[in-house]
Amino acid sequence: MSSVLRSTWPLLLGMLLLMVGNGMQGTLLGIRGGIEGIPTFRMSVVMSSYFGGFLLGSLFVPGIIKNVGHVRVFAALGSLISAILVLYAIEPNWIFWSVLRFLIGFCFCGVYITAESWLNEGASNESRGRALAAYMIVQLLGIVVAQALLNTGDPAGYLLFIIPSVLVSLSFTPILLSAKPGPQFETIKRMSFGELYQASPLGCVGIFVMGSVLSVVSGMSAVWGAQIGLSVAEISVFVAAAYAGGLALQYPLGWVSDRFDRRRMVFLLGAFGAAVTFLVVLLQPGTMGLVIAAALMGGVANPIYGILLAYTNDFLDPSDMASASAGLLFINGIGSIGGPLITGWLMGQIGSDGYWIYMGVMLSGLTVYSAWRMTRRRALTPDEQASYAVVTPSTTPLALEAIMDEAQSDDPAETREASEI
């Protein structure tokens, strides 16, 4: 790992600064929306817009890079991100914010794709897996650090919008100075949803569900915190706990999933996550209880997402990697757009408990579906399973394809064939 860090530290440092900027803007808008009195559902539209832009970026940015090059795209989109972060404070209007969130989602997707192409191209076959793992860890770490910076200023002022803008601008320096020409992009055709579902029904349904749940955690947590009257410090700790839980449990739960039926893991973790959400609604715990619940939810939700991707990967041929990764992330994107919108509507109808109830219902549905799927297909042996890999919901098709390919290359089995019952 030390050799990987020596060769990739400029890129990882730049991405850390970018993720701090991204992590600050999401939470800050949720808090500022509460200060400005913007209704919950309108704030859910603001939060959902980011995922709409991100999804559009995943479809169009590779073509833009192919036409004008990696460096120009990275510099242009990065500059636009820096400008948008300052523009938020000019007009606290939900329509204006929604447009900016859509644009910044598109831009961040392009920045990720560019950075991931440099990382993938610069790593050797032997170090690629470790480099991608370090990249994913840096993403989560950056969001955790971002929450601490929210306590350095007044969310009703301008400073907290300027800090992420400066950090994003500074992130260009190490990345662009170390940038090398990226690989040529080829047009990736998604597998049809029917083909994807046939390969892994649980993977398709689960990725949609977890995309929805994780977008609520990342997009609506600050909105929920502002609605129930949490302070800025309490909201920042709550959000940080969710990501810290995911960061801490990714590896241990992934390690376990390599040795057991992944469907059973999804069933158990989904049931546990649903139980946590319903206990919060029933017990109405204090701030410390809410922070613990956030850590448990993040610790469950992020690994479930990675386990579902690994499970789907178990039934794919290497030749299907690119098209499958694009299709899976499209499914994830649709779920991510809908999650905040439905949660915002539910919170407007029944109050703040709608935040927990929505996630609980979605995880309960996934639990039931995974139990049913265990009756429809035999369990793979550990030798037939590809390796689990750390992955985040913000992964682009480029990185996901590389991650899935790396995981399959670690698989000692010569076949992943599984018979339907």
Side-chain angles (χ1 to χ4, degrees):
M1 179 62 77
S2 60
S3 61
V4 171
L5 293 177
R6 282 196 301 270
S7 62
T8 62
W9 73 263
L11 178 60
L12 295 179
L13 174 60
M15 288 307 302
L16 177 64
L17 295 174
L18 276 167
M19 292 310 299
V20 172
N22 197 9
M24 283 188 70
Q25 62 108 15
T27 308
L28 178 58
L29 285 180
I31 296 172
R32 183 64 177 266
I35 294 173
E36 299 292 341
I38 300 176
T40 301
F41 181 72
R42 291 182 176 181
M43 282 305 301
S44 73
V45 175
V46 173
M47 296 304 169
S48 178
S49 297
Y50 174 89
F51 302 103
F54 197 95
L55 179 60
L56 190 69
S58 70
L59 299 176
F60 289 100
V61 167
I64 298 174
I65 294 175
K66 185 176 181 180
N67 289 331
V68 302
H70 290 70
V71 173
R72 289 181 178 177
V73 168
F74 185 88
L77 296 182
S79 298
L80 188 54
I81 290 172
S82 185
I84 290 173
L85 290 170
V86 176
L87 289 174
Y88 280 131
I90 293 177
E91 179 59 40
N93 175 281
W94 72 278
I95 298 177
F96 182 60
W97 279 2
S98 296
V99 173
L100 294 182
R101 281 277 288 180
F102 184 88
L103 289 174
I104 210 170
F106 183 94
C107 292
F108 264 111
C109 180
V111 165
Y112 294 156
I113 289 176
T114 308
E116 289 162 9
S117 68
W118 281 326
L119 182 69
N120 196 36
E121 181 74 3
S124 64
N125 291 334
E126 294 74 20
S127 66
R128 183 168 290 110
R130 295 189 297 275
L132 289 168
Y135 172 79
M136 297 300 166
I137 291 171
V138 162
Q139 283 197 337
L140 292 172
L141 185 61
I143 296 177
V144 172
V145 172
Q147 309 315 308
L149 290 178
L150 289 169
N151 297 281
T152 61
D154 181 4
Y158 288 90
L159 178 62
L160 291 182
F161 291 94
I162 294 172
I163 290 175
S165 176
V166 171
L167 291 174
V168 168
S169 297
L170 290 175
S171 71
F172 304 160
T173 304
I175 295 178
L176 291 176
L177 289 179
S178 62
K180 299 177 181 178
Q184 289 295 317
F185 282 99
E186 297 180 0
T187 302
I188 298 176
K189 182 181 179 181
R190 291 194 308 270
M191 292 178 67
S192 70
F193 294 129
E195 291 172 322
L196 266 176
Y197 186 82
Q198 185 175 15
S200 179
L202 177 59
C204 290
V205 173
I207 291 299
F208 175 83
V209 170
M210 294 315 299
S212 178
V213 169
L214 286 166
S215 68
V216 171
V217 172
S218 64
M220 294 298 293
S221 292
V223 177
W224 165 82
Q227 188 182 70
I228 67 172
L230 294 182
S231 67
V232 174
E234 289 169 337
I235 291 174
S236 64
V237 171
F238 180 86
V239 175
Y243 285 98
L247 183 61
L249 294 182
Q250 280 263 13
Y251 270 114
L253 291 178
W255 183 87
V256 173
S257 78
D258 283 343
R259 289 152 180 81
F260 297 96
D261 184 356
R262 298 198 206 273
R263 296 169 303 178
R264 192 175 299 275
M265 289 289 296
V266 172
F267 171 82
L268 293 173
L269 292 175
F272 179 79
V276 169
T277 63
F278 293 133
L279 282 174
V280 170
V281 174
L282 291 173
L283 301 179
Q284 297 293 313
T287 302
M288 183 53 66
L290 291 173
V291 170
I292 293 172
L296 292 175
M297 273 298 299
V300 164
N302 278 281
I304 288 179
Y305 183 81
I307 290 169
L308 286 165
L309 286 173
Y311 178 74
T312 304
N313 197 21
D314 292 336
F315 300 95
L316 294 174
D317 292 324
S319 59
D320 293 329
M321 290 297 179
S323 56
S325 64
L328 288 170
L329 289 178
F330 187 85
I331 293 172
N332 169 73
I334 297 299
S336 297
I337 294 170
L341 291 174
I342 299 173
T343 301
W345 174 83
L346 197 58
M347 289 170 65
Q349 297 298 311
I350 65 175
S352 59
D353 285 343
Y355 169 84
W356 295 100
I357 290 173
Y358 177 76
M359 291 189 291
V361 168
M362 295 300 285
L363 288 172
S364 297
L366 179 60
T367 301
V368 172
Y369 187 72
S370 61
W372 180 71
R373 286 305 307 171
M374 282 190 278
T375 69
R376 309 304 299 168
R377 174 180 275 176
R378 75 168 180 86
L380 298 182
T381 66
D383 284 344
E384 290 176 306
Q385 294 183 161
S387 299
Y388 175 90
V390 176
V391 65
T392 68
S394 60
T395 304
T396 67
L398 178 70
L400 183 57
E401 180 190 355
I403 289 168
M404 294 167 71
D405 181 65
E406 182 70 23
Q408 281 202 355
S409 70
D410 293 335
D411 183 7
E414 294 182 1
T415 179
R416 296 177 179 78
E417 216 175 303
S419 303
E420 295 280 355
I421 293 178

